[in-house]
Amino acid sequence: MHCMWKQFVSDYFNFSKKERTGTITLLAVIALLVIVPFLFPFFIKQKKYAADDFKKEIAAIKIKQSDSTKTFQRKYDEEDQLAYTQQPDKRYNREQSTKGERFYFNPNTLDEAGWQRLGLKDKTITTIKNYLSKGGKFYQPEDIKKIWGLNEKLAATLIPYVKIEAAIKKYEAANNNPKPVYEKPAYKPAIVDINSADTTAFIALPGIGSKLAQRIIGFRDKLGGFYKTEQVAETFGLQDSTFQKIKARLVLNSAAVKQLNINTASLDELKAHPYLRYAVANAIVQYRTQHGNFSSINDLKKIMLVTEDIFTKAAPYLKIN
């Protein structure tokens, strides 16, 4: 047991040559990093500041600040609070001048020389000319205040001399005359005659496209015409909700329909009718063959396949002579 423990300790603390070299190198780097901060003062000399010079500079700044405050205060007192406002541009000061002749004028017709006589600068005159050339008008004397570049003081001295009676009358007339009121015509939905309308008329109805319009007309042609508006609802693919939307716009100006003579019509003619089809058409032909011609449309009720519903729908399309 003692030997095993001794062997374990020996193996644990035994290093190879590479491991010893690495350990020594690592310790040397750590030692260098610890020592370097203490060596900075020997290699880098710090700049020294004289305390007296620093105090003198502080005192000079305080004196300069005090002089600046006194100067600003004196300027504030002398110029009556104008020191707080930004000094206007020199060009603006020149424009502030109210010098110039005073005479009555119409700003809509006054030429460039006239504006110069009134004391306006060339730039302001150009602005006025551009405004008038684009169709602008002065309708009342106070409108000249809106001229860009014309200050209020100069405008105030010119307003009493503005004479634009014709323009004022035109302005008042334009504002006093009420504008005509146009009433929007009431919407009147198109009415469709189901026995004479074409696809364009049906497409104008809400929810009816080109395919449905063609189906309605095809169903009408196979029937031989409609005898009541409710028959349109039987068109294949036409939903009841759509029919309810268009029902009020459907009319039947003529209920005349194409009729089949049940005593002479062939099987092919009878079965082509949507309300008869092959089974009923064949029964009609067989009954006619066995019993002779029909004496009345009501004789169709004697045929077992002709139900009350079929008879009611098909009767308007049938005749005996």
Side-chain angles (χ1 to χ4, degrees), residues 106-126:
N106 185 340
N108 291 312
T109 58
L110 188 64
D111 58 11
E112 183 175 351
W115 287 112
Q116 290 175 348
R117 287 173 56 195
L118 291 172
L120 272 70
K121 298 298 181 183
D122 293 340
K123 188 174 182 180
T124 306
I125 296 173
T126 301

Side-chain angles (χ1 to χ4, degrees), residues 6-7 15 35 53 57 60 83 100-101 103 114 123 125 186 188 237 251 261 266 271 311-312:
K6 185 176 181 181
Q7 182 66 32
F15 297 101
I35 295 172
D53 294 339
E57 290 181 4
E101 298 182 38
F103 54 88
K123 188 174 182 180
I125 296 173
K188 294 181 180 180
V251 295
N261 188 336
S266 65
K271 74 178 184 180
F311 179 81
T312 302

Side-chain angles (χ1 to χ4, degrees), residues 37-302:
F38 296 98
L39 299 178
F40 279 153
F42 296 98
F43 297 98
I44 302 175
K45 295 183 179 181
Q46 296 183 355
K47 187 177 179 181
K48 296 181 179 181
Y49 296 92
D52 293 339
D53 294 339
F54 179 74
K55 291 179 180 180
K56 289 179 181 179
E57 290 181 4
I58 295 298
I61 292 173
K62 290 182 177 180
I63 292 172
K64 187 176 182 181
Q65 184 178 9
S66 176
D67 291 343
S68 176
T69 303
K70 290 178 181 179
T71 301
F72 176 80
Q73 183 64 38
R74 185 169 60 255
K75 183 178 181 182
Y76 176 81
D77 294 336
E78 291 176 354
E79 298 186 5
D80 192 19
Q81 300 183 0
L82 289 179
Y84 280 124
T85 62
Q86 182 180 3
Q87 291 297 326
D89 188 74
K90 292 181 179 180
R91 291 175 296 177
Y92 181 78
N93 283 333
R94 290 197 298 269
E95 188 64 68
Q96 293 287 337
S97 174
T98 58
K99 294 180 181 180
E101 298 182 38
R102 293 294 177 263
F103 54 88
Y104 292 105
F105 67 97
N106 185 340
N108 291 312
T109 58
L110 188 64
D111 58 11
E112 183 175 351
W115 287 112
Q116 290 175 348
R117 287 173 56 195
L118 291 172
L120 272 70
K121 298 298 181 183
D122 293 340
K123 188 174 182 180
T124 306
I125 296 173
T126 301
T127 301
I128 297 172
K129 290 173 63 179
N130 290 337
Y131 171 71
L132 294 174
S133 65
K134 293 179 181 179
K137 292 289 183 183
F138 296 98
Y139 294 102
Q140 48 191 346
E142 289 74 15
D143 286 349
I144 66 172
K145 291 182 179 180
K146 301 176 183 178
I147 299 174
W148 181 261
L150 182 64
N151 64 75
E152 294 182 2
K153 187 175 181 181
L154 180 55
T157 63
L158 295 178
I159 287 175
Y161 297 93
V162 177
K163 297 294 182 183
I164 45 177
E165 291 83 359
I168 291 175
K169 290 180 181 179
K170 183 178 178 181
Y171 175 80
E172 291 177 348
N175 286 273
N176 292 333
N177 294 335
K179 295 182 179 180
V181 179
Y182 298 97
E183 294 184 0
K184 185 177 181 181
Y187 172 71
K188 294 181 180 180
I191 302 300
V192 176
D193 183 354
I194 58 175
N195 268 344
S196 61
D198 56 10
T199 54
T200 303
F202 281 113
I203 290 173
L205 297 172
I208 304 297
S210 59
K211 288 186 177 180
L212 272 178
Q214 292 173 1
R215 287 177 184 175
I216 293 172
I217 293 177
F219 182 56
R220 180 185 68 190
D221 293 343
K222 290 179 179 179
L223 286 173
F226 296 117
Y227 59 82
K228 61 180 180 179
T229 57
E230 287 75 14
Q231 287 179 278
V232 176
E234 300 175 20
T235 304
F236 176 75
L238 179 60
Q239 297 181 358
D240 182 66
S241 58
T242 303
F243 175 73
Q244 295 303 324
K245 290 180 182 179
I246 67 174
K247 184 178 179 180
R249 296 171 60 175
L250 303 179
V251 295
L252 187 63
N253 293 329
S254 176
V257 296
K258 181 181 179 181
Q259 292 182 314
L260 291 172
N261 188 336
I262 57 176
N263 285 325
T264 60
S266 65
L267 175 62
D268 291 336
E269 290 175 328
L270 291 172
K271 74 178 184 180
H273 198 279
Y275 289 159
L276 300 178
R277 297 303 181 187
Y278 175 79
V280 176
N282 185 53
I284 292 173
V285 172
Q286 293 299 328
Y287 184 89
R288 185 180 66 194
T289 302
Q290 296 175 9
H291 299 88
N293 290 343
F294 294 97
S295 59
S296 170
I297 295 297
N298 289 327
D299 289 345
L300 290 174
K301 295 181 179 180
K302 298 176 182 179

